[in-house]
């Protein structure tokens, strides 16, 4: 019980401290997810030893569920931040990013895993699929705030947010295919993948999220019109909708992460969520309180000893994945991406495809189901490296983008 209260105290203290210092920290290029991760490392067993995960029970399951909850809140805020009708209006670029770039990113990550660690092709593809989705929570720290709003073009900010929201849930088939093939015959794995994963988990999540979001929006508008709501709180309503979509989708055995994002998009279409979210600062409140603690938790449970045992190939893997996982895919697909025709947009989007909580969710799930410890060891290594690299480069690269944009106008 003492560990529970220590963890609660640490998480809330980190949220309060980062909230109080958000402006100067952003000015000096220190992203909140990176600092929360650093706080977890400091409090964990490798340093101060205040938090001891060995007594927490099934750590992988705890991480999976905590990541799922954090993603649900983060994805709802991303959906509400997008302009109404953004997905249909920019379907071409988003379809290429999700349908073509995402599998290419999986392969780009799998190749160095296969070469450096002599893994089986299926295990390399599994870990590559785990780290291929871009993270909405880390991406939010890049595309929001005063510096981002001043220096980044709004279309680029919206594209990065929309892509991260979509590919978190749509990466599930990429993760499940090698996972099924590791334990089943190719015919049975293919059948389960098509029927259970693609048609039911993905299709069912889209349908459930769409219906729930439309219903929630209609009920809110009706309640306001009938004056049933005395003091409306948009934040409490959207948080409840996030958790309802996640829980309902999980009970139906569909993709809860995708269901939340679709529900947020449908709800936004009904009630104009973007304007309401901006008025009540729902984005900042939800992200700080619900999503930063998961980075602290990750910092506490990082497998340092296992990382050290991996040796120099681990360093080579980090460099290869950070540099080659995303940008080459976007360069190849550039003719098909109308939203990324300018070089500065392509380079910025090519670098800022962070690996974060979505990968943590899939790493925990895949590690538990496959029984392969390397899934967690290598997955957590790449997640941590991305949070550090993208957290430290967010502000400098955003300012550089702004400088290039101003120079092109002169």
């Amino acid at each position: 019980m003492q560990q529970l209260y220590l963890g609660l105290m640490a998480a809330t203290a980190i949220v309060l401290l980062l909230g109080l210092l958000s402006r100067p920290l952003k000015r000096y290029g220190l992203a909140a997810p990176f600092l929360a991760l650093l706080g977890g490392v400091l409090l964990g067993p490798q340093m101060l030893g205040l938090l001891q995960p060995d007594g927490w029970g099934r750590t992988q399951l705890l991480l999976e569920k905590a990541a799922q909850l954090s993603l649900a809140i983060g994805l709802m805020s991303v959906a509400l931040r997008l302009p109404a009708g953004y997905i249909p209006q920019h379907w071409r670029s988003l379809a290429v990013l999700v349908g073509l770039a995402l599998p290419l990113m999986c392969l780009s990550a799998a190749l160095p895993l296969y070469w450096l660690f002599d893994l089986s092709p299926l295990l390399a593809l599994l870990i590559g699929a785990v780290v291929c989705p871009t993270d909405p929570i880390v991406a939010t720290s890049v595309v929001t705030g005063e510096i981002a709003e001043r220096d980044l073009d709004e279309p680029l900010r919206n594209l990065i947010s929309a892509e991260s929201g979509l590919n978190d849930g749509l990466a599930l088939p990429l993760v499940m295919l090698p996972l099924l093939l590791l334990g089943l015959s190719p015919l049975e794995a293919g059948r389960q993948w098509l029927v259970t994963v693609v048609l039911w988990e993905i299709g069912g999540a889209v349908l459930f999220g769409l219906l729930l979001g439309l219903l929630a929006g209609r009920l809110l508008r009706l309640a306001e019109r009938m004056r049933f709501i005395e003091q409306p709180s948009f934040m409490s309503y959207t948080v409840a909708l996030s958790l309802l979509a996640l829980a309902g989708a999980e009970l139906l055995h569909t993709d809860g992460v995708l269901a939340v994002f679709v529900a947020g998009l449908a709800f936004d279409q009904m009630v104009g969520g973007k304007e309401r979210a901006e008025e009540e600062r729902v984005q900042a409140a939800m992200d700080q309180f619900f999503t930063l603690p998961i980075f602290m938790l990750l910092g506490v449970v990082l497998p340092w000893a296992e990382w050290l045992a991996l040796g120099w190939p681990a360093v080579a893997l980090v460099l290869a994945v950070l540099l080659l996982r995303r940008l080459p895919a976007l360069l190849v697909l550039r003719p098909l991406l109308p939203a990324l025709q300018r070089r500065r947009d392509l380079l910025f989007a090519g670098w800022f495809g962070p690996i974060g909580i979505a990968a943590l969710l899939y790493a925990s799930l895949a590690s538990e189901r496959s029984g392969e410890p390397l899934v967690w060891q290598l997955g957590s290594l790449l997640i941590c490296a991305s949070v550090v690299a993208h957290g430290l480069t967010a502000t400098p690269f955003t300012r550089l983008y702004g400088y290039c944009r101003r120079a092109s106008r002169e």
Side-chain angles (χ1 to χ4, degrees), residues 11-235:
T12 51
I14 285 175
V15 171
L16 285 172
L17 186 62
L18 294 179
L20 290 171
L21 300 175
S22 58
R23 182 170 290 179
L25 290 174
K26 195 84 170 184
R27 187 182 307 127
Y28 290 108
L30 298 173
F34 163 69
L35 293 172
L37 178 72
L38 195 62
V41 173
L42 182 65
L43 297 171
Q46 302 298 326
M47 298 196 71
L48 297 179
L50 294 177
L51 298 176
Q52 296 291 337
D54 290 341
W56 294 357
R58 297 174 62 186
T59 308
Q60 293 293 329
L61 183 62
L62 174 63
L63 280 172
E64 181 184 337
K65 298 308 176 185
Q68 214 171 29
L69 178 63
S70 298
L71 274 178
I73 302 299
L75 286 170
M76 178 61 70
S77 62
V78 169
L80 298 179
R81 191 169 67 239
L82 291 172
Y86 181 85
I87 302 293
Q89 292 169 14
H90 298 83
W91 68 269
R92 188 184 301 276
S93 292
L94 291 171
V96 172
L97 288 171
V98 175
L100 297 178
L102 193 63
L104 286 176
M105 289 162 61
C106 173
L107 291 173
S108 299
L111 286 175
L113 284 160
Y114 176 74
W115 287 329
L116 291 169
F117 293 94
D118 196 25
L119 301 181
S120 69
L122 284 178
L123 186 56
L125 282 172
L126 176 60
I127 302 174
V130 161
V131 299
C132 71
T134 57
D135 188 68
I137 297 172
V138 180
T140 290
S141 68
V142 176
V143 301
T144 60
E146 292 180 6
I147 296 175
E149 292 175 3
R150 182 194 67 205
D151 289 334
L152 295 181
D153 290 326
E154 185 176 5
L156 178 62
R157 291 190 285 120
N158 289 333
L159 183 70
I160 292 174
S161 295
E163 182 200 2
S164 66
L166 284 170
N167 68 18
D168 279 4
L170 294 175
L172 180 65
L174 294 177
V175 174
M176 291 304 299
L177 184 58
L179 193 58
L180 290 170
L181 286 169
L182 283 170
L184 300 172
S185 67
L187 186 61
E188 178 62 19
R191 187 191 67 81
Q192 286 198 25
W193 181 78
L194 180 61
V195 175
T196 304
V197 178
V198 177
L199 295 180
W200 179 248
E201 294 192 39
I202 298 298
V206 171
L207 182 60
F208 174 73
L210 180 63
L211 294 176
L212 181 62
L214 292 175
L215 178 62
R218 187 174 295 275
L219 288 176
L220 180 61
R221 291 178 62 182
L222 178 63
E224 288 179 338
R225 189 165 61 247
M226 302 289 290
R227 297 187 179 179
F228 288 163
I229 301 179
E230 186 176 3
Q231 291 180 331
S233 174
F234 193 70
M235 186 178 75

